[in-house]
Amino acid sequence: MDTQRRSGENGPAPFRSSRFFCVGSKWYFTTREGFDSGPFASRQRAETGLRRFLHVVRLLPEEQQIH
């Protein structure tokens, strides 16, 4: 769990957890919206999957982006 405040945040740090989790030997990532993606063969591949997901989201028109 990350308890540090990010730049521009005031007050106590909100609860944060890792976007990555492992079930059995398979890795997944989760988004703020509760979307889980996987399984991936390794955490490294899950991290690559998350980077690709975020890249695609940034390409969407503003009104269609996931917030």
Side-chain angles (χ1 to χ4, degrees):
M1 176 178 77
D2 183 2
T3 59
Q4 294 182 328
R5 282 186 275 169
R6 295 178 182 164
S7 177
E9 286 184 335
N10 296 317
F15 175 81
R16 294 189 179 100
S17 62
S18 175
R19 288 187 181 229
F20 303 98
F21 61 96
C22 185
V23 177
S25 63
K26 303 295 182 184
W27 284 89
Y28 299 79
F29 70 83
T30 189
T31 67
R32 292 179 192 153
E33 296 76 26
F35 171 75
D36 295 340
S37 183
F40 297 92
S42 66
R43 180 178 173 129
Q44 182 179 3
R45 289 190 179 198
E47 290 172 358
T48 299
L50 175 59
R51 282 193 298 275
R52 289 178 177 167
F53 172 82
L54 294 174
H55 175 75
V56 169
V57 167
R58 287 184 193 112
L59 294 175
L60 293 172
E62 185 70 29
E63 64 273 3
Q64 292 182 354
Q65 286 188 9
I66 300 171
H67 294 283

